[in-house]
C-alpha cells in the first residue's frame, strides 16, 4: 500500500460505479484497547462480501486522511480515516487507515469478484 493519491482512487471508484461489486468494510480500535486502558471499549465492525451497486462514489480529504463514500440506491457506505491504498493484481481497490503505530483502524475494499473467505496475505 502507498499513501493515498486522491485522483487515482477517484478514477478507480468511478470505474467501479454502476456495477455489482463486493465490499469489505472493517473498523477496529484494536482488540486490546481495554487491555492497555481499562476505561477504553473494544469496538469494531466487519462486513465482508456485501454485494452492492453504487451510483457514484467520492473520496474527499478530511485533513490528514480521507473519507470515501459510496452512494447506494437506498443509502450510503462510507469509511473515514483512510490513509493508504492499493490497486492489486486482481484489480481490486484496497484502502486502509492506520494509526501512528501502523495498526489497522479502518479498511474499505471494493472488488468485482468476491473476496476470499480465508486469510489472504494480499488483502
Amino acid at each position: 500500500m502507498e499513501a493515498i493519491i486522491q485522483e487515482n482512487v477517484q478514477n478507480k471508484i468511478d470505474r467501479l460505479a454502476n456495477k455489482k461489486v463486493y465490499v469489505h468494510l472493517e473498523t477496529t480500535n484494536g482488540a486490546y484497547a481495554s487491555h492497555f486502558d481499562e476505561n477504553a471499549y473494544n469496538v469494531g465492525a466487519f462486513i465482508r462480501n456485501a454485494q452492492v451497486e453504487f451510483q457514484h462514489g467520492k473520496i474527499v480529504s478530511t485533513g490528514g486522511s480521507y473519507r470515501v463514500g459510496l452512494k447506494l440506491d437506498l443509502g450510503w457506505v462510507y469509511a473515514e480515516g483512510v490513509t493508504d491504498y492499493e490497486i492489486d493484481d486482481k484489480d481490486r481497490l484496497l484502502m486502509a487507515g492506520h494509526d501512528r503505530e501502523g495498526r489497522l483502524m479502518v479498511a474499505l475494499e471494493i472488488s468485482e469478484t468476491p473476496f476470499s473467505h480465508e486469510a489472504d496475505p494480499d488483502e
Side-chain angles (χ1 to χ4, degrees), residues 51-101:
Q51 190 176 38
V52 302
E53 184 173 336
F54 62 93
Q55 300 165 352
H56 64 272
K58 187 81 173 171
I59 179 170
V60 296
S61 174
T62 57
S65 64
Y66 294 86
R67 178 185 310 121
V68 178
L70 307 175
K71 175 68 175 92
L72 310 177
D73 284 342
L74 297 175
W76 286 87
V77 171
Y78 87 89
E80 186 154 357
V82 176
T83 56
D84 303 295
Y85 87 109
E86 174 181 353
I87 298 171
D88 72 1
D89 59 355
K90 296 176 183 173
D91 203 32
R92 303 177 298 191
L93 177 57
L94 313 177
M95 299 170 283
H98 301 94
D99 68 9
R100 290 182 183 88
E101 287 79 39

Side-chain angles (χ1 to χ4, degrees), residues 32-45:
Y32 301 103
S34 63
H35 178 73
F36 295 109
D37 179 355
E38 64 184 31
N39 295 318
Y41 288 86
N42 290 336
V43 296

